[in-house]
Amino acid sequence: ACHMTGYQGRLGVFEILEVSEKIRKLIVEKNDSDTILRAAVEEGMTTMLDDGLDKVAEGITSISEVLRVTKTETS
């Protein structure tokens, strides 16, 4: 039952961090998570938000649901 949302069932949004040598070095040097995230995205990592937005574009979920589950602030 979709509970009148227009969607039924569950759908995953994914984010996988491949630990390259650059990322490994940043971790070992105890860089903050924002620095590591920026480097990972530069290397091609797709964030959960980006994966969710791709699914919005495909029409299989809503922007409000993606923002809710990724805890993205809308202010």
Side-chain angles (χ1 to χ4, degrees):
C2 72
H3 301 287
M4 304 308 287
T5 64
Y7 300 102
Q8 182 176 346
R10 294 178 184 244
L11 172 73
V13 289
F14 302 97
E15 175 176 280
I16 299 172
L17 172 61
E18 290 188 37
V19 181
S20 66
E21 284 304 314
K22 179 179 181 178
I23 300 297
R24 185 181 320 279
K25 183 177 183 220
L26 292 171
I27 293 169
V28 168
E29 292 172 350
K30 300 184 190 267
N31 281 275
D32 62 85
S33 61
D34 287 337
T35 300
I36 296 168
L37 175 61
R38 274 194 303 276
V41 169
E42 287 173 6
E43 290 187 349
M45 182 183 89
T46 300
T47 65
M48 284 195 323
L49 177 60
D50 289 335
D51 186 50
L53 293 176
D54 288 344
K55 289 171 173 131
V56 169
E58 293 172 27
I60 56 179
T61 192
S62 66
I63 188 72
S64 61
E65 185 65 5
V66 169
L67 296 177
R68 183 185 71 79
V69 300
T70 60
K71 307 283 192 261
T72 303
E73 294 187 22
T74 58
S75 54

